[in-house]
Amino acid sequence: MTLVKTLLEIPELRLRLRTGSALLDRAVSRIYVTELPDPSRYVSAGEVVLTGLLWWRRPGDAEPFVAALARAGVAALAASGADTEGIPDDVVRACARHRIPLLEVPADLSFAVITERVVLALAADRGREPSGARKRLLSSADAPLPVLLRQGAQELGAPCWVLSATGRVVGGTAPEAPPVEWYTPGRERVVADRYTLLPVGGRFAVPWVLAVGSPETGELADELAGLLSLARARAEQVRRTADRAAEPLFGALGSGAGDLAAAFAATGRAEPVRVVVLRTPDDEPALAAELLAELVADVPASLGSLGDDACAVIEADEQWPDTARTRLSTVDLFVEVSRVYAGISGPATVDGLRGAAQEALHAAEVAARRSQRLAVVAGEDVAVHRLLVAGAPDELRRSVRERVLGGLLAYDAAQGTDLVHTVRVFLECSSSPTAAAKALHVHVNTLRYRIARASELLGLDLNDFRTQVDVYLALQAG
């Protein structure tokens, strides 16, 4: 049986025990890598959780993370302090408090090496020597995803692809990948036509799927899926580290202060750019951030947040926003979320970046008012007046609507009429009585009478252009 103390005895790993000396006889079932601040949905009993502590920012962050491990019954926590100047005392104390053995990983040791040695130890514990193919595959465990995928395809003798729940082909060894919709979420293995599909990185909020171009695969495909999950975790760690360089940019965008040009230059992005805002109403910031990272994965991008919204600054691509709409189309098959909506600005230079951020936020408000579960709105596809109205607080919109239209709304409610609709059609017909009468299927004299009556109730002249603008904006605020 592989125990926690077994890992401490592997000389190549050079693990150092920081706390939990009385808990080393816990059995190890598998190893799992995470950088999520709250891994409670994904960790399982008996696991060794491996982390680079990218989720730790300040004292107090360790308590919810370690408490989640304790509730799940994990065997131990293995942590690298390479990015935090050593393991913070906050983490050590939390592990001691929740009785979680804490193993310190040397800063120069690759997570892939740790995973390979743990997998080999577990395999030996099950009484079987890893095959030659398995050894060769494990020897590529530290390689980038494309290299690992090619090695897996070679050992399996079949083409392989990695697909995202957004339908994105993350990588592949041949063209014509199968559609991700063929996979049935929640199943360990799906045989579809001439493919085998297995979950990869199911511990992420937005899952990946390994597709092998053969209906018959053995444990080696499962091994490849596990290593691909580790490769994804490494890539995510690199991305999060890179995103730290963009924090001043999003801070400047959110506060309206600071040297925006210098912060933008530090990201290495090239003009023009778009700003993308993504929201979920389920208080899932980690899910929103991961979804957004998937949407912008194929374009140079800096990711961060604007207030509570996940945000990205991407180099302008002529395929956007159609790419975002396509990728969100399959998400609800894999991710449990009530709604996802995104706002995308038009192309902008750094001088117009703050305006682009506001445009993206307003476009997200427009998307939020649509009925679709997955809605993407681009700023250039929305009339300017709609952007302005969407950006106004709900209380202000209600106040404006009542102040401008109050008399007309009260009259309609008391008389059972619909003069508000007549006014809307009249304005949308460019204030043409003939066109409005035709649209409403009434005589033009009837239309003129109704507009005169509405003007009287509003105390305004509906033939005055500035008044028309005010009234139309108030109508849109409803």
Side-chain angles (χ1 to χ4, degrees), residues 352-377:
L353 196 51
R354 284 196 173 96
Q358 290 302 310
E359 182 179 348
L361 288 167
H362 296 345
E365 291 289 346
V366 173
R369 287 172 170 76
R370 295 190 173 176
S371 58
Q372 305 103 305
R373 289 189 60 235
L374 308 172
V376 178
V377 172

Side-chain angles (χ1 to χ4, degrees), residues 9-22:
E9 295 166 357
I10 299 176
E12 300 97 317
L13 299 187
R14 295 177 282 125
L15 300 175
R16 182 164 74 97
L17 180 67
R18 295 296 304 273
T19 186
S21 58

